[in-house]
Amino acid sequence: MGYLKNVSRRGFVKGAGVAAAAATMAGLAGCSGGDSGSASGDSVKIEMVTDTGGVNDQSFNQLAWAGLQQLGEENGWEVGYLESTQEADYAPNLDRCVDDGCALIWGVGFAMADAIATCAQTNPDIKFAIIDNANPSDAENIVGVQFRAQEPSFIVGYIGASFSKTGNVGYVGGISSDVIDQFEYGYKAGVAYANSVNGTNVQVQAQYAESFSDSARGKAIAQSMFSNGCDVVFHAAGGTGTGVIEAAAEAGKYAIGVDMDQNHLAPENVITSALKRVNVAVVDVSNQIINGELADPNVTLGLTEDCVGIPEDHALYGDEIYNAAMEIEEQIKNGDIVPPANEEEYNTYVASL
């Protein structure tokens, strides 16, 4: 791993060399679909470009890289990443992936949509995929991969509200967007649902950090929320959210993680996480793209595909809340509960309770 013209940090691994790293994510359930490894005999190179959160963000960049490492291990493919430190890095990093001779290039994060669209148009013979955004153009060589993040957010909203002793919970977002709105309004709706079935009046304090990489900012916002009466704060803020968790640990309060199970960051304070299994989506979609099995330019994944959810570990909040959360999960799967993804849907949902 080295530095490239002071623009980005990059890493490459091949085949069996990724076994140990890929094993760290082996416990996460996979999305349904996708043929793993049918092209394992072929020589394939896949790289990803991170957003500004970096490859070790304890969130979706790290999960995406874990997915590529799994592909390297299972299929013998060469996989790598280029790490962006600012949005201006996206286009040159994508160009470097093209120069590396990649068959497939992943962009991690909705902020990369314009850069992906431009690079794909210039390089029609290379396949591209983007996390958290629909295909940003009419190009046939791009696949957009999105998640119904409002579904696990609704569940953790119910958990947080049911667990709270102060009647106040918090939400810290990274940068407001359609993607992050899913987390906010799904979470708020889960709190509202908990109030309706529990006969409570838990309130939500919400604030955006305007960054996915400023952990100090996330910590400061969470500290303010804890001082203002919150005892549980959920974050959807990438690397910024590690500061939220740090604040919870220092204050003896509680946090809810995002994307990956973040309990390991503060085992006595992170009660659960809204999982978005980017790693397994990367594996499934990559296999289908390389094998020529994916014709749809857009893929949307949620509970019914086992690509979002919550961790099984519920030691901090107990069986009663967990069992109720599992019942809610089933109601979402069968359509009895439809978590809102934006403010308009949220207002309609709350009015229906």
Side-chain angles (χ1 to χ4, degrees):
M1 188 180 300
Y3 286 87
L4 181 64
K5 296 183 180 179
N6 296 320
V7 172
S8 59
R9 191 158 56 106
R10 73 187 310 174
F12 290 95
V13 290
K14 264 189 167 180
V18 304
T24 64
M25 296 295 170
L28 292 177
C31 307
S32 58
D35 178 16
S36 177
S38 61
S40 60
D42 299 333
S43 176
V44 174
K45 179 180 286 188
I46 303 177
E47 292 175 18
M48 61 173 259
V49 175
T50 77
D51 76 351
T52 57
V55 76
N56 293 314
D57 63 349
Q58 301 291 328
S59 190
F60 72 152
N61 286 292
Q62 188 166 338
L63 285 168
W65 177 228
L68 287 191
Q69 291 176 87
Q70 183 178 337
L71 286 167
E73 170 64 17
E74 293 179 350
N75 297 350
W77 296 345
E78 183 176 354
V79 298
Y81 68 84
L82 280 165
E83 195 168 39
S84 305
T85 59
Q86 56 186 343
E87 291 192 10
D89 295 342
Y90 296 158
N93 281 345
L94 291 168
D95 288 341
R96 283 169 175 78
C97 292
V98 170
D99 292 341
D100 285 338
C102 292
L104 170 62
I105 300 168
W106 282 89
V108 185
F110 64 87
M112 217 171 299
D114 290 343
I116 285 277
T118 300
C119 195
Q121 183 178 15
T122 307
N123 300 278
D125 295 331
I126 297 174
K127 300 294 185 182
F128 294 81
I130 183 169
I131 293 291
D132 279 344
N133 208 87
N135 183 336
S137 73
D138 58 0
E140 297 181 354
N141 58 328
I142 306 176
V143 175
V145 180
Q146 297 173 285
F147 299 82
R148 296 189 297 277
Q150 67 269 27
E151 295 178 351
S153 299
F154 185 99
I155 297 172
V156 301
Y158 171 83
I159 292 171
S162 299
F163 179 79
S164 175
K165 304 299 187 294
T166 65
N168 283 277
V169 298
Y171 168 80
V172 177
I175 300 173
S176 182
S177 68
D178 290 346
V179 172
I180 304 303
D181 281 356
Q182 294 177 315
F183 292 98
E184 178 182 359
Y185 291 107
Y187 178 69
K188 288 180 175 178
V191 172
Y193 176 82
N195 285 335
S196 71
V197 297
N198 295 338
T200 52
N201 187 33
V202 177
Q203 300 297 304
V204 182
Q205 300 177 31
Q207 186 173 341
Y208 280 82
E210 304 305 329
S211 173
F212 289 107
S213 57
D214 189 345
S215 61
R217 176 65 174 155
K219 183 176 182 178
I221 293 173
Q223 286 173 330
S224 177
M225 288 181 173
F226 291 134
S227 295
N228 289 334
C230 290
D231 56 352
V232 180
V233 175
F234 171 46
H235 85 86
T240 298
T242 60
V244 173
I245 294 172
E246 184 178 349
E250 291 182 1
K253 305 294 185 180
Y254 298 95
I256 296 174
V258 76
D259 293 343
M260 62 191 298
D261 183 354
Q262 294 187 315
N263 175 263
H264 68 282
L265 296 177
E268 300 301 319
N269 306 91
V270 177
I271 61 173
T272 190
S273 298
L275 301 179
K276 187 166 72 174
R277 298 183 174 104
V278 175
N279 56 320
V280 289
V282 166
V283 170
D284 286 350
V285 172
S286 294
N287 275 311
Q288 291 180 69
I289 289 174
I290 295 300
N291 294 328
E293 298 168 351
L294 186 63
D296 195 330
N298 291 293
V299 177
T300 303
L301 305 166
L303 280 172
T304 55
E305 296 83 14
D306 293 326
C307 271
V308 301
I310 64 170
E312 292 183 8
D313 183 11
H314 53 281
L316 292 179
Y317 64 93
D319 290 342
E320 182 178 357
I321 297 176
Y322 177 76
N323 291 336
M326 290 297 96
E327 292 178 7
I328 292 169
E329 180 176 297
E330 288 304 312
Q331 288 179 283
I332 294 173
K333 285 181 178 179
N334 64 32
D336 290 339
I337 294 177
V338 181
N342 55 49
E343 185 176 11
E344 181 180 358
E345 292 178 1
Y346 169 75
N347 290 334
T348 300
Y349 175 79
V350 171
S352 72
L353 292 175

